[in-house]
Amino acid sequence: MATRWTQWEPRRRAHRRHRLLRALLVLGLATVLAVLGLGAGAVWWGTDHYGDQVARIPDAFPSGPRPPGSTAHDGGTTFLLAGVDSRSERPTTGSAATARLWTYGAQRSDTLMLVRLSGDRRAVHVMSIPRDSWVPIPGHGSAKINAAFSWGGPPLMIQTVERLTGSRVDHFAVIDWNGFRALTDAVGSVTVTVHENSYDSARHRHWTAGTHVLHGADALAYVGQRHGLPRGDLDRIEHQQQFLRGLVGEIRGRVGLTDPLGTARMLDAITRTVSVDDRMSNGDLRDLVFGLRHLDAADAHFSTAPVAGSRTIGGQSALILDRERLRARWHAVEAG
């Protein structure tokens, strides 16, 4: 087994360094084990050992009628991945959390992605939903989609996305900015390339074109920038994707069969910062690991929810989604 992996692991590492791993970052335990290509026994032990450390979110899903589940389509699985901007100075996600994940009005979702793993685990589709998307929020009229988490936590966030897409969310995972910063600091730093000069008036921060080595606080400033970017929230999504690709590359550089202590430290950092719904069992994580082992970057497809235009509503700058195209596109993904 070791000889086989030695022969083609370098090529595997180069091919899978891209967006597939970025999209699955918040499912960090499964991702890291998958890219390591661990043997079946190690994966079985690892998902149980580290899976037990992953914080579970009780009652994450909405009650009442919901769209049909994955088995109604290709047997795949849909994840909703969220990064939340919490006002708490203490961690709210992961096993290291010392504050509540959700308190009314105290947190808003900041990064939102739908991830669909096909039933045969041969393809993954990712759709980013901009935080400024103006959508119906059940029981609250219409507002920016990030308000759903603020008003109702994970259940309302999931219900809002399900109503928007007409599709069922099978699992939910979340990380807050404290966790994001801690994960960045755990790898030391992340290198990004800034393509053009800009000024973030909200943070009074100049960004110059060129290569930047970002630590925790700088990383937050970079992925959180909205002001001074030509396309606002859409450019911000690109910043986040770019940074997370670099972050996962750093994680991959610090884990391996030849460095068990480094691997353990990174897995500990991930489990300290990520929370998942309590319906995601260790067995689900294990199935995910084995399924992901055969995926390559060529099997990953990425998009942003289609935007019809922008508008100022109640003094807020909002993005208007093309809901018909969004549903058609996501239903096509579900149909395989």
Side-chain angles (χ1 to χ4, degrees):
M1 177 66 74
T3 302
R4 179 186 175 189
W5 280 105
T6 301
Q7 291 174 345
W8 62 280
E9 176 62 12
R11 183 175 61 183
R12 176 186 177 90
R13 182 177 297 130
H15 285 171
R16 299 186 63 189
R17 188 177 292 274
H18 304 295
R19 289 183 170 180
L20 170 61
L21 296 174
R22 181 267 302 168
L24 299 175
L25 175 65
V26 295
L27 301 177
L29 169 63
T31 303
V32 173
L33 290 176
V35 300
L36 284 176
L38 297 178
V43 171
W44 192 276
W45 176 86
T47 50
D48 270 341
H49 176 75
Y50 287 102
D52 287 341
Q53 299 180 38
V54 175
R56 260 60 173 205
I57 305 167
D59 304 317
F61 293 95
S63 58
R66 298 178 62 200
S70 298
T71 54
H73 303 285
D74 71 340
T77 306
T78 297
F79 299 87
L80 179 61
L81 313 181
V84 295
D85 186 0
S86 172
R87 297 178 186 175
S88 172
E89 303 228 348
R90 295 182 293 156
T92 63
T93 63
S95 62
T98 57
R100 295 181 61 187
L101 169 65
W102 174 75
T103 301
Y104 183 87
Q107 301 99 339
R108 287 179 175 242
S109 62
D110 195 83
T111 301
L112 203 59
M113 293 181 291
L114 275 172
V115 178
R116 175 75 176 183
L117 296 178
S118 63
D120 60 7
R121 295 301 191 261
R122 297 292 180 179
V124 59
H125 295 259
V126 182
M127 179 184 288
S128 294
I129 304 175
R131 58 168 283 169
D132 288 344
S133 302
W134 193 263
V135 300
I137 298 179
H140 297 272
S142 292
K144 290 185 179 181
I145 197 168
N146 64 346
F149 192 91
S150 179
W151 291 334
L156 186 58
M157 180 82 267
I158 293 171
Q159 187 179 31
T160 298
V161 172
E162 289 185 337
R163 295 277 183 91
L164 177 66
T165 61
S167 298
R168 188 184 186 95
V169 171
D170 299 305
H171 290 295
F172 176 72
V174 61
I175 185 171
D176 68 7
W177 286 134
N178 283 306
F180 181 85
R181 181 172 55 219
L183 199 55
T184 304
D185 287 337
V187 304
S189 64
V190 174
T191 301
V192 300
T193 300
V194 176
H195 297 296
E196 59 183 89
N197 296 340
S198 65
Y199 175 65
D200 184 347
S201 58
R203 293 176 172 81
H204 307 290
R205 177 72 181 261
H206 288 276
W207 291 99
T208 57
T211 300
H212 293 255
V213 178
L214 304 180
H215 301 276
D218 292 332
L220 280 177
Y222 183 69
V223 300
Q225 182 187 6
R226 299 171 62 210
H227 300 274
L229 298 175
R231 299 191 305 150
D233 198 27
L234 298 179
D235 283 338
R236 186 167 176 268
I237 287 175
E238 291 192 2
H239 277 203
Q240 293 170 349
Q241 294 174 352
Q242 178 197 32
F243 178 86
L244 289 175
R245 284 198 301 272
L247 177 61
V248 172
E250 292 295 329
I251 291 174
R252 295 184 72 237
R254 285 164 171 74
V255 297
L257 293 176
T258 58
D259 185 12
L261 291 178
T263 299
R265 282 194 294 268
M266 286 314 309
L267 289 175
D268 285 339
I270 291 168
T271 58
R272 283 199 307 269
T273 58
V274 177
S275 297
V276 301
D277 67 87
D278 62 358
R279 297 183 187 178
M280 181 177 285
S281 66
N282 288 354
D284 291 329
L285 288 173
R286 185 179 302 117
D287 291 343
L288 185 61
V289 169
F290 282 111
L292 292 177
R293 293 171 69 196
H294 303 292
L295 283 175
D296 199 283
D299 303 313
H301 310 275
F302 298 86
S303 65
T304 299
V307 175
S310 60
R311 186 182 307 166
T312 300
I313 304 175
Q316 302 179 75
S317 177
L319 294 176
I320 309 302
L321 299 181
D322 187 329
R323 297 180 198 169
E324 185 176 341
R325 284 180 58 207
L326 188 158
R327 283 195 171 202
R329 181 181 296 175
W330 194 251
H331 289 172
V333 167
E334 290 180 316

